């Protein structure tokens, strides 16, 4: 249809103006804090080596601090986004500096006596390079003495090769500290972004607004950061110095760093960092100027809201009396002991309230959706900006607590074995007729009952995806829901849905897997990645046995073997007693053989791998693998 976004309806205008009364919009403290101690503004665009523009701060000039909130944006989200549009190199305290908002995550640099310690690396090599150039120009040309990953998410390690030479890490000159064992960190950092990477990338494109134009009718910001660069380079280097116990200390560049190990919180492996000489603390992504996700909409493991609260409280016990500043891995710092402890207490109490009240209502027999509709934060927390839903939302976090503690079944027998969305839609339309469904959708839109309109029109679209009137009406409903949403991920999902109903599927912009992450996979994870490509029904009668010798730079072999029977791919370390084929290759080429077996013979001819045995097994294996379509439909069947 290609008509582009529509303007907010009169009902949406009224809803957003009424929402303003719920917020303390006259509180400008966060604006002042975000501006505090600016050393240098961002130098301009972030470019890829081939000249592609990944990020341009001018795209967000419509968010100027004096710009009035448009009727198409929730006023709370507009305020948060205006703050996030402030970018540059900032001093946190003497010795701690941040580059903010040239990427979704911050790059933090701690200057010691004889070097720089980089705490999180931004999400892309290009953003990290721009950030380090600012540091080199305005702060220090000292060498990087260490890198610290606070947790296992790609927007915190993805820029590492823009920070440090991999050879310096390999030689031991520059350690990389991270929470958990090296094997555990590698597993969670990589598997979360790769094993389900195609689905996660597609969902993330919706949630982070990557498919939308940047303007008041489209993408505003990501709420926790300015946005995801498009087409960026995601890098990875494995940690070399694991932190597995609270109280562990390291001397880095002449400064003492102390760690609080906080697993199973915002990430499977996470840690808080205390620098006593500077009174500087970060709780990684467990404390932000927003409510976080207990369950992400892009897709990830469900988190434990109790652990958010527990580790924040432990942090307050350990360092609350002495802390002078909290620097976040997203958003802006908090200064002053009273302000920092109040900030951490509010974050702690918000997660604890969500957890406890969700289970209170579960134990009263409410379903996840019923509980989410009922629970509201206490007034003091609800009017605390850092408890507002700019990343997670109260509604979907409550439902996530149910998932974490009780599983996916909501307790209603009707949801135990329902018909598929398409079958349900066809049955409903067959019962009442398409005209009746469309009429009810139009009525709901006219009454500004956009949630019901989207829900009932879903039946018409899924029963007949070619019904242009149904698609147009549902797009209108989704669009108004997006304009009213305080949560930017809800906004992004609704507006992306409206756009794709009108214009079709847009090209992908978010990629969670990269050559670096695939090459860095632990061997067992690499086999797991191959296994999820196996088409079980096609492989039900297959009998494949392949020995895999994984070589390293010294020429040493690590023997593994895989077999496929009954539609399942298994792998074990060790030799195979009766392989049909033996593959000998470096790990990155093993990945190529496992995922693109049709090219293995050419690799052997080029002398890059060795094949011994029946190479016809590769053709049989290749025929059993699925190729994943990254642009699968979401708003249509």
């Amino acid at each position: 249809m290609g008509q582009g976004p529509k303007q907010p309806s009169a009902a949406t205008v009224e809803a957003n103006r009424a929402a303003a009364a719920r917020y303390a919009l006259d509180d400008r403290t966060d604006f002042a804090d975000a501006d505090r101690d600016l050393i240098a503004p961002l130098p301009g665009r972030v470019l890829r080596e081939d000249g592609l523009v990944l990020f341009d701060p001018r795209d967000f000039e419509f968010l100027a601090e004096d710009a009035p909130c448009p009727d198409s944006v929730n006023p709370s989200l507009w305020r948060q986004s205006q703050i996030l549009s402030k970018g540059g190199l900032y001093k946190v305290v003497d010795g701690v500096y941040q580059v903010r908002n040239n990427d979704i995550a911050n790059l933090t640099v701690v200057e010691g006596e004889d070097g720089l310690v980089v705490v999180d690396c931004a999400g892309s090599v290009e953003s990290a390079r721009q950030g380090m150039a600012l540091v080199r120009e305005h702060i220090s040309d000292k060498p990087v003495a260490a890198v610290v990953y606070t947790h296992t998410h790609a927007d915190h390690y993805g820029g590492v090769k823009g920070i440090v030479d991999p050879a310096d890490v390999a030689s031991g000159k520059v350690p990389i500290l991270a929470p958990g064992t090296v094997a555990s960190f590698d597993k969670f950092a990589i598997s979360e972004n790769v094993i389900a990477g195609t689905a996660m990338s597609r969902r993330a494109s919706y949630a982070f607004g990557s498919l939308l134009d940047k303007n008041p009718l489209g993408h505003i910001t990501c709420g926790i950061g300015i946005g995801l660069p498009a087409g960026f380079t995601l890098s990875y280097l494995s940690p070399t110095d694991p932190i597995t116990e609270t109280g562990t200390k390291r001397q880095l560049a002449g400064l003492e760093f102390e760690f609080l190990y906080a697993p199973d919180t915002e990430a499977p492996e996470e840690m808080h960092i205390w620098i006593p000489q500077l009174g500087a603390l970060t709780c990684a992504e467990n404390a932000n100027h927003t409510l976080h996700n207990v369950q992400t909409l892009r897709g990830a493991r469900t988190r434990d809201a109790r652990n958010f609260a527990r580790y924040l409280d432990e942090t307050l016990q350990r360092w609350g009396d002495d802390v002078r500043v909290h620097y976040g891995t997203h958003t802006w710092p908090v200064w002053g002991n009273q302000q920092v402890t109040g900030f951490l207490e509010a974050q702690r109490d918000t997660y604890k309230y969500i957890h406890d009240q969700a289970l209170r209502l579960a134990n009263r027999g409410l379903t996840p959706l019923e509980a989410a509709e009922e629970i509201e934060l206490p007034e003091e927390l609800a009017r605390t900006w850092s408890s507002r839903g700019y990343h997670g939302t109260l509604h979907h976090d409550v439902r996530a607590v149910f998932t974490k503690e009780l599983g996916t079944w909501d307790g209603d027998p009707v949801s135990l074995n329902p018909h598929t969305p398409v079958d349900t839609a066809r049955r409903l339309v067959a019962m009442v007729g398409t005209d009746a469904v469309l009429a009810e959708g139009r009525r709901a839109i006219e009454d500004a009952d956009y949630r019901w309109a989207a829900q009932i029109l879903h039946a018409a679209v899924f029963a007949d995806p070619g019904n242009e009137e149904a698609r147009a009406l549902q797009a209108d409903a989704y669009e108004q829901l997006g304009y009213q949403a305080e949560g930017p991920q809800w906004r992004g999902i609704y507006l992306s849905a409206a756009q794709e109903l009108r214009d079709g599927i847009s090209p992908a912009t978010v990629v969670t897997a990269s050559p670096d992450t695939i090459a860095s996979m632990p061997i067992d994870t690499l086999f797991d990645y191959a296994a999820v490509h196996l088409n079980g029904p096609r492989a039900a009668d297959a009998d494949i046995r392949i020995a895999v010798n994984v070589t390293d730079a010294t020429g040493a072999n690590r023997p593994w073997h895989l077999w496929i029977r009954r539609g399942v791919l298994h792998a074990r370390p060790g030799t195979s007693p009766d392989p049909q084929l033996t593959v000998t290759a470096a790990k990155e080429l093993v990945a190529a053989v496992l995922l693109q077996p049709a090219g293995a013979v050419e690799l052997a001819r080029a002398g890059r791998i060795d094949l011994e045995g029946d190479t016809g097994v590769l053709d049989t294996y290749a025929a059993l693998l699925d190729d994943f379509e990254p642009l699968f439909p979401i708003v249509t069947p």
Side-chain angles (χ1 to χ4, degrees), residues 106-187:
N106 297 337
L107 185 153
T108 302
V109 175
V110 181
E111 183 181 13
E113 296 175 3
D114 53 5
L116 305 177
V117 179
V118 178
V119 179
D120 286 351
C121 307
S124 76
V125 170
E126 294 82 6
S127 297
R129 283 176 177 157
Q130 185 188 71
M132 288 304 293
L134 278 170
V135 171
R136 297 300 187 198
E137 179 180 357
H138 297 282
I139 304 301
S140 174
D141 201 33
K142 293 175 183 176
V144 173
V147 172
V148 182
Y149 299 152
T150 61
H151 61 288
T152 49
H153 290 156
D155 52 331
H156 299 268
Y157 64 71
V160 65
K161 288 188 178 179
I163 303 292
V164 65
D165 187 333
D168 288 339
V169 175
S171 70
K173 180 180 177 182
V174 179
I176 297 180
L177 290 78
T181 66
V182 172
S184 177
F185 193 94
D186 281 346
K187 173 185 175 182

Side-chain angles (χ1 to χ4, degrees), residues 285-516:
E285 216 165 319
N286 290 330
N288 306 271
H289 286 282
T290 173
L291 175 64
H292 214 295
N293 291 293
V294 177
Q295 171 65 66
T296 70
L297 300 179
R298 65 177 168 86
R301 294 176 180 228
T302 306
R303 296 150 183 180
D304 193 333
R306 292 174 302 177
N307 282 347
F308 278 78
R310 286 171 177 170
Y311 288 118
L312 288 171
D313 194 59
E314 184 177 348
T315 298
L316 285 161
Q317 291 180 68
R318 295 180 74 88
W319 303 311
D321 290 343
D322 301 316
V323 64
R324 299 198 298 272
V325 65
H326 181 273
Y327 60 95
T329 57
H330 292 276
T331 65
W332 56 96
V334 179
W335 287 270
N337 180 267
Q338 184 177 352
Q339 288 76 17
V340 173
T341 56
F343 166 68
L344 296 181
E345 287 168 354
Q347 289 275 281
R348 175 199 64 192
D349 293 350
T350 298
Y351 293 115
K352 188 74 162 57
Y353 189 89
I354 291 170
H355 173 271
D356 294 352
Q357 296 309 303
L359 293 184
R360 178 179 69 85
L361 295 186
N363 284 315
R364 283 181 47 201
L366 274 69
T367 66
L369 184 57
E370 289 168 341
E373 291 287 306
E374 181 168 324
I375 291 174
E376 296 288 346
L377 291 176
E379 181 70 13
E380 183 177 343
L381 291 176
R383 290 183 68 83
T384 300
W385 288 115
S386 60
S387 296
R388 302 304 307 176
Y390 306 123
H391 199 48
T393 69
L394 178 61
H395 199 280
H396 77 256
D397 277 358
V398 168
R399 291 151 69 186
V401 172
F402 276 75
T403 300
K404 178 70 172 177
E405 303 298 338
L406 293 170
T408 59
W409 181 47
D410 66 2
D412 186 338
V414 75
S415 66
L416 191 60
N417 188 26
H419 286 288
T420 67
V422 169
D423 195 30
T424 300
R426 288 174 176 168
R427 287 165 181 256
L428 177 62
V429 170
M431 179 176 67
V432 302
T434 300
D435 290 344
V437 173
L438 294 180
E440 177 62 9
R442 283 191 293 270
R443 183 206 62 76
I445 290 173
E446 290 169 1
D447 290 347
D449 189 357
Y450 300 120
R451 288 174 69 184
W452 174 241
Q455 192 170 343
I456 191 66
L457 290 164
H458 183 272
V461 172
F462 268 59
D464 179 9
N467 187 320
E468 295 295 339
E469 184 179 5
R471 292 171 67 117
L473 285 169
Q474 193 182 33
D476 290 348
Y478 278 144
E479 190 166 57
Q480 299 305 317
L481 289 171
Y483 290 157
Q484 294 182 29
E486 181 182 21
Q489 292 194 35
W490 285 36
R491 178 185 176 93
I493 289 168
Y494 284 137
L495 296 186
S496 297
Q499 178 173 283
E500 290 198 350
L501 282 166
R502 291 168 178 156
D503 302 335
I505 294 175
S506 303
T509 60
V510 177
V511 177
T512 61
S514 71
D516 253 19

Side-chain angles (χ1 to χ4, degrees), residues 9-345:
S9 66
T12 291
V13 172
E14 181 181 351
N16 280 338
R17 291 178 180 175
R22 298 197 296 268
Y23 311 125
L25 294 175
D26 56 343
D27 176 6
R28 308 295 288 181
T29 304
D30 288 337
F31 286 88
D33 283 348
D35 280 332
R36 179 168 168 169
D37 289 334
L38 174 66
I39 295 170
L42 295 175
R45 301 177 299 176
V46 177
L47 303 175
R48 206 165 63 186
E49 287 186 351
D50 61 4
L52 178 71
V53 178
L54 305 182
F55 172 79
D56 189 341
R58 294 175 298 183
D59 289 342
F60 296 90
E61 289 178 346
F62 66 91
L63 289 165
E65 188 170 337
D66 60 352
C69 179
D71 291 327
S72 56
V73 183
N74 178 285
S76 173
L77 175 58
W78 182 256
R79 173 194 178 276
Q80 178 82 350
S81 298
Q82 286 182 307
I83 300 170
L84 291 174
S85 70
K86 301 169 181 291
L89 172 65
Y90 296 83
K91 183 180 80 171
V92 179
V93 293
D94 287 336
V96 181
Y97 307 91
Q98 284 190 318
V99 178
R100 300 201 289 268
N101 296 325
N102 70 340
D103 193 280
I104 194 171
N106 297 337
L107 185 153
T108 302
V109 175
V110 181
E111 183 181 13
E113 296 175 3
D114 53 5
L116 305 177
V117 179
V118 178
V119 179
D120 286 351
C121 307
S124 76
V125 170
E126 294 82 6
S127 297
R129 283 176 177 157
Q130 185 188 71
M132 288 304 293
L134 278 170
V135 171
R136 297 300 187 198
E137 179 180 357
H138 297 282
I139 304 301
S140 174
D141 201 33
K142 293 175 183 176
V144 173
V147 172
V148 182
Y149 299 152
T150 61
H151 61 288
T152 49
H153 290 156
D155 52 331
H156 299 268
Y157 64 71
V160 65
K161 288 188 178 179
I163 303 292
V164 65
D165 187 333
D168 288 339
V169 175
S171 70
K173 180 180 177 182
V174 179
I176 297 180
L177 290 78
T181 66
V182 172
S184 177
F185 193 94
D186 281 346
K187 173 185 175 182
F188 287 116
I190 294 168
S191 64
E192 179 172 282
N193 292 293
V194 176
I195 300 297
T198 302
M200 186 182 293
S201 295
R202 181 79 170 111
R203 292 161 62 120
S205 292
Y206 262 56
F208 293 127
S210 304
L211 306 172
L212 305 171
D213 291 337
K214 299 176 181 66
N215 59 50
L217 296 176
H219 175 66
I220 305 300
T221 65
C222 288
I224 199 168
I226 190 71
L228 287 171
F232 62 90
T233 304
L234 176 68
S235 64
Y236 186 72
L237 294 171
S238 290
T240 61
D241 187 357
I243 304 297
T244 58
E245 292 184 5
T246 292
T248 299
K249 298 178 181 180
R250 293 286 188 272
Q251 291 290 323
L252 304 174
L255 292 168
E256 181 179 280
F257 286 66
E258 185 176 351
F259 303 94
L260 186 150
Y261 183 44
D264 194 19
T265 50
E266 185 271 341
E269 297 287 11
E270 194 139 357
M271 65 186 181
H272 303 176
I273 305 169
W274 169 242
I275 310 173
Q277 293 98 315
L278 305 177
L281 170 69
T282 184
C283 293
E285 216 165 319
N286 290 330
N288 306 271
H289 286 282
T290 173
L291 175 64
H292 214 295
N293 291 293
V294 177
Q295 171 65 66
T296 70
L297 300 179
R298 65 177 168 86
R301 294 176 180 228
T302 306
R303 296 150 183 180
D304 193 333
R306 292 174 302 177
N307 282 347
F308 278 78
R310 286 171 177 170
Y311 288 118
L312 288 171
D313 194 59
E314 184 177 348
T315 298
L316 285 161
Q317 291 180 68
R318 295 180 74 88
W319 303 311
D321 290 343
D322 301 316
V323 64
R324 299 198 298 272
V325 65
H326 181 273
Y327 60 95
T329 57
H330 292 276
T331 65
W332 56 96
V334 179
W335 287 270
N337 180 267
Q338 184 177 352
Q339 288 76 17
V340 173
T341 56
F343 166 68
L344 296 181
E345 287 168 354

